[in-house]
Amino acid sequence: MHLIEVNNISKIYNGKRTKVTAIKHMDFHIDDGEFVGIMGQSGSGKSTLLSIIGGLNKPSDGEVLIDTLDVYGLSSEQRTDLRSEYIGIIFQSFQLIPYLTVDENVKLPMAVAGIKEKKQKEMADSVIEKVGLSDKKTMLPDQLSGGEQERVAIARAIVNNPPILLADEPTGNLDSQTSSEIMDLLHDLNKKGQTVIMVTHNENMLKNATRIIRVQDGLCVN
Amino acid sequence: MKLYNISLNNIKRRKAKIVFLLFGLLIGISTIVALLSVSESMGRDIEEKLNKFGANIVLMPKSDTLSLTYGGMTVGGVNLEIKEFNESDIPKIKEIKNSKNLGSVAPKILGITKLNNKDVLLMGVDFEKEVSLKSWWMIQGKIPEKANEIMVGNDVANVFKLSQGDTVKLGKIDYRITAVLGESGSSEDDIIIGDLKSFQKALNKEGKISMVEIAAFCRGCPISDMVLQIAEKFPDGKVTALKQSVMSKMQSVDTFKTFTFGIAVLVVIIGSLLVFVTMMGSVNERTREIGIFRAIGFRKAHVMQIILLEALVVGVLGGIIGYITGCLIAKVFIPLVMEGSSFAGLNYETSIIAIVLSVSLSIIASLYPAFKASNLDPSEALRAL
């Protein structure tokens, strides 16, 4: 039994006059504890694939199973609950809430997970320490560097301890030194048991990945 | 971390946007509060002026005979069998359900006595109450203050060649005339007016009252109800409402109320649109943020809660600030448009209306934007990333 099964999915965007096929008949699986890289050029369909795996973007065809659960057989609200429980997402360009502090941004997923405030504080403090931002808890995102914002985004994605971590170009906006630190952090998380699926166009970032899925023109090419 | 922390932090840390939203509410609420205050003051002003026209309820003893007078001319003799009330019963008038709508209650004693061998009509009154009811009296001289001071009607002064400072004997008591009433064309030209207690004694009617004139404020109270309430207290009395006076009072106040209501509705519609447009703009700007919320596990209801809670807080703030601003506008505006009038002061009821209206406006105008936001497809919202 695989943690994630992607069965023959396709995604077609219907424009007013044109149809764009972003994903064509993709078929693969990911096992528990893997660090999988999804590589491809800009516009190849890798981000679309990640959003489909994350339950955010319904495929035009095919199915995605997480822990044998048909993700798109669920209602929209059930998928929201699935994301809350199973999936942590690290977005491209950090995507922090600008009017919330580091601490508040990290606690966000717990605000709707029914976790008591004392427990929330313990969990948030623990992940903020893990990403090395304990001294910046009360700062707003725009008071942080790019690398620090990325760390907050990672802390937010892992605070609920989800088994799956999806990362969309997490190093895309960072210098090489910071990128390397972020990759070390993701590998640490992977070693501690989290399955990481990371989208990037930079192969150097995937040196330690257990597997790489190459995407080109909406197709898996290996 | 709770959902309300997100709403409150958004309000606290995005002040410029919230100020803009508050501005929309402020315009609506302050205009309504200012209009209500001006309308209240104008209503009060109109009422005070109308009340100067005199009493609008008269309480008299019941009589089996008909009055044979028309236009001040008595035809076929005078009914001398005058029934009276006991003075100790008069305070019962103040016990009626609508007692707060009572203005002046002016009891009087009427009786005939001889002056230079001619019959004259005496009317004993409480001068303070009587003068407040008869603002049209042209008093030439000084209002009587002592028990042995009187004022005489214009015709009485002419017939008996009396003037201010003269002394006359009524019954067994000497009275000094302190004032003569200017000609009014009414029955007051033919009477002598003196202190109630003193005339009760002079007429041997101590503790008796012939009739009571009552001024009632009739905003929000049907005058016919008050007439019935007084009649219940005085089963031997006949209570008459001077409907013309009441109707004109009610009409003036009602017309202004309708005008104010029309303006208020218009302002509420404009205010709602302003809040709606601002809220829609705010939600559209937050598409990305809502997408993130939905992606990390926020249900539709959570997104709605965040937006509606913000609307609630902004509504309360808008209500309070709008009320204070409206009061300040009214305070400056009222003396400019109504000479002699002033702002009535802070009003508990109006402040509650302002806050409830502001909150309702804010929430109703935010319902659709909140619904739209909560129904955003996370993938659509995240495409903005």
Side-chain angles (χ1 to χ4, degrees):
Chain A
M1 190 180 74
H2 307 293
L3 179 64
I4 300 168
E5 284 182 51
V6 174
N7 295 334
N8 196 28
I9 60 162
S10 297
K11 180 70 188 180
I12 300 164
Y13 291 107
N14 289 311
K16 279 178 186 169
R17 289 181 186 171
T18 53
K19 273 185 182 179
V20 178
T21 305
I23 305 279
K24 294 171 192 165
H25 307 290
M26 280 197 188
D27 212 36
F28 60 87
H29 62 261
I30 295 168
D31 288 319
D32 195 9
E34 276 196 282
F35 191 120
V36 177
I38 299 176
M39 267 207 63
Q41 296 298 312
S42 254
S44 58
K46 56 190 189 300
S47 288
T48 302
L49 175 61
L50 196 75
S51 66
I52 290 173
I53 295 171
L56 294 166
N57 197 354
K58 191 175 181 179
S60 310
D61 201 9
E63 62 177 13
V64 176
L65 305 181
I66 293 181
D67 235 357
T68 68
L69 206 63
D70 180 2
V71 175
Y72 294 97
L74 302 172
S75 71
S76 161
E77 293 297 78
Q78 285 171 327
R79 269 204 304 280
T80 304
D81 294 344
L82 176 88
R83 280 196 298 275
S84 175
E85 202 177 328
Y86 275 80
I87 303 167
I89 304 174
I90 303 163
F91 299 101
Q92 214 170 358
S93 312
F94 330 126
Q95 304 306 340
L96 302 176
I97 305 297
Y99 53 84
L100 298 180
T101 62
V102 167
D103 187 52
E104 290 161 347
N105 262 293
V106 171
K107 284 177 179 170
L108 261 185
M110 297 189 284
V112 290
I115 298 169
K116 293 205 168 146
E117 294 221 34
K118 197 178 163 195
K119 183 77 180 161
Q120 282 189 21
K121 188 179 177 318
E122 279 172 23
M123 290 166 79
D125 285 351
S126 160
V127 289
I128 290 171
E129 195 187 341
K130 197 182 277 181
V131 298
L133 290 173
S134 293
D135 54 337
K136 299 195 170 170
K137 271 163 62 175
T138 55
M139 285 189 174
L140 290 170
D142 62 5
Q143 295 169 312
L144 302 174
S145 68
E148 287 166 338
Q149 289 187 51
E150 189 64 52
R151 284 166 190 274
V152 180
I154 293 171
R156 183 180 66 188
I158 62 172
V159 72
N160 271 352
N161 207 18
I164 301 165
L165 194 58
L166 305 181
D168 191 2
E169 304 260 16
T171 57
N173 297 306
L174 305 176
D175 59 64
S176 57
Q177 168 69 29
T178 317
S179 297
S180 163
E181 286 170 17
I182 295 296
M183 287 313 299
D184 289 345
L185 190 57
L186 290 176
H187 281 293
D188 277 350
L189 292 168
N190 177 241
K191 277 178 197 160
K192 283 171 190 163
Q194 266 166 322
T195 303
V196 180
I197 303 166
M198 180 179 138
V199 159
T200 183
H201 60 269
N202 185 351
E203 195 159 0
N204 290 333
M205 295 294 133
L206 298 174
K207 282 182 294 192
N208 298 317
T210 50
R211 192 149 53 104
I212 295 175
I213 296 170
R214 290 177 200 278
V215 180
Q216 194 177 324
D217 297 330
L219 290 162
C220 280
V221 292
N222 62 328
Chain B
M1 184 79 171
K2 300 272 180 201
L3 289 179
Y4 65 79
N5 294 121
I6 300 170
S7 306
L8 295 181
N9 282 325
N10 182 36
I11 290 170
K12 208 162 67 183
R13 293 175 188 148
R14 292 167 102 181
K15 290 190 184 78
K17 290 200 188 302
I18 298 304
V19 164
F20 191 67
L21 197 60
L22 270 177
F23 185 68
L25 280 173
L26 193 72
I27 290 174
I29 300 300
S30 59
T31 310
I32 288 167
V33 170
L35 274 171
L36 281 177
S37 301
V38 171
S39 137
E40 177 73 22
S41 295
M42 281 185 110
R44 209 160 26 93
D45 199 48
I46 291 166
E47 190 141 20
E48 274 169 18
K49 280 175 184 158
L50 285 169
N51 279 324
K52 286 181 184 168
F53 293 143
N56 45 36
I57 298 175
V58 177
L59 170 63
M60 288 182 293
K62 267 185 189 158
S63 170
D64 296 335
T65 55
L66 295 171
S67 166
L68 302 176
T69 62
Y70 183 78
M73 177 176 248
T74 305
V75 185
V78 180
N79 173 21
L80 293 172
E81 192 200 333
I82 301 170
K83 291 179 183 172
E84 274 129 9
F85 297 112
N86 286 323
E87 193 176 359
S88 56
D89 290 335
I90 301 306
K92 284 185 190 169
I93 294 172
K94 296 271 184 188
E95 292 168 9
I96 64 167
K97 192 179 159 198
N98 283 94
S99 58
K100 66 177 177 5
N101 299 101
L102 289 172
S104 288
V105 175
K108 46 204 64 146
I109 186 77
L110 294 167
I112 296 166
T113 192
K114 294 279 184 191
L115 175 61
N116 298 344
N117 291 323
K118 285 183 181 169
D119 283 341
V120 286
L121 182 61
L122 302 187
M123 182 168 84
V125 299
D126 177 329
F127 275 103
E128 197 185 328
K129 290 173 180 168
E130 203 65 24
V131 170
S132 75
L133 276 181
K134 310 283 167 68
S135 58
W136 62 87
W137 274 0
M138 289 176 292
I139 300 165
Q140 293 154 3
K142 192 168 73 74
I143 297 169
E145 288 172 348
K146 295 176 184 165
N148 64 343
E149 291 179 343
I150 55 169
M151 60 183 185
V152 296
N154 192 266
D155 290 351
V156 175
N158 290 338
V159 169
F160 294 100
K161 308 267 187 282
L162 298 173
S163 59
Q164 189 188 347
D166 291 348
T167 302
V168 292
K169 197 175 188 77
L170 300 171
K172 293 173 185 172
I173 307 169
D174 285 329
Y175 289 94
R176 198 170 70 83
I177 300 169
T178 62
V180 175
L181 276 179
E183 189 172 7
S184 67
S186 70
S187 54
E188 280 142 8
D189 290 345
D190 303 324
I191 59 173
I192 296 174
I193 306 164
D195 175 66
L196 179 66
K197 298 276 177 207
S198 177
F199 274 17
Q200 281 172 333
K201 201 172 173 184
L203 294 166
N204 288 323
K205 292 180 178 183
E206 282 161 312
K208 298 289 177 188
I209 292 296
S210 305
M211 65 179 290
V212 186
E213 286 184 303
I214 303 158
F217 297 93
C218 293
R219 294 176 73 190
C221 76
I223 196 86
S224 50
D225 283 3
M226 292 179 72
V227 166
L228 285 174
Q229 289 164 15
I230 296 170
E232 269 177 27
K233 298 277 177 192
F234 294 88
D236 295 329
K238 181 184 168 191
V239 191
T240 317
L242 306 178
K243 286 188 178 163
Q244 217 172 355
S245 157
V246 176
M247 291 295 280
S248 72
K249 278 185 198 187
M250 297 297 283
Q251 263 177 2
S252 308
V253 175
D254 285 350
T255 306
F256 196 76
K257 266 187 179 173
T258 311
F259 167 75
T260 309
F261 181 74
I263 298 275
V265 167
L266 200 67
V267 172
V268 165
I269 292 170
I270 294 168
S272 308
L273 280 174
L274 206 61
V275 175
F276 176 77
V277 169
T278 313
M279 264 293 182
M280 275 303 279
S282 169
V283 165
N284 287 337
E285 274 177 28
R286 292 169 75 182
T287 301
R288 178 184 72 86
E289 187 184 311
I290 292 160
I292 297 166
F293 286 145
R294 296 282 284 130
I296 63 176
F298 281 54
R299 286 176 149 233
K300 290 176 183 177
H302 297 138
V303 174
M304 271 200 96
Q305 272 181 54
I306 292 169
I307 292 174
L308 291 181
L309 190 62
E310 281 175 26
L312 176 77
V313 175
V314 170
V316 172
L317 284 175
I320 295 170
I321 301 172
Y323 174 68
I324 295 167
T325 313
C327 287
L328 289 173
I329 293 170
K331 196 173 181 181
V332 173
F333 192 65
I334 290 170
L336 294 177
V337 292
M338 290 180 291
E339 208 177 317
S341 283
S342 60
F343 175 55
L346 300 178
N347 180 317
Y348 176 73
E349 278 177 18
T350 314
S351 67
I352 297 293
I353 291 172
I355 293 170
V356 169
L357 187 67
S358 175
V359 169
S360 314
L361 205 80
S362 180
I363 292 202
I364 291 168
S366 305
L367 270 178
Y368 177 69
F371 178 76
K372 191 178 168 228
S374 67
N375 277 286
L376 266 176
D377 182 350
S379 65
E380 291 292 323
L382 287 165
R383 243 180 247 176
L385 298 183

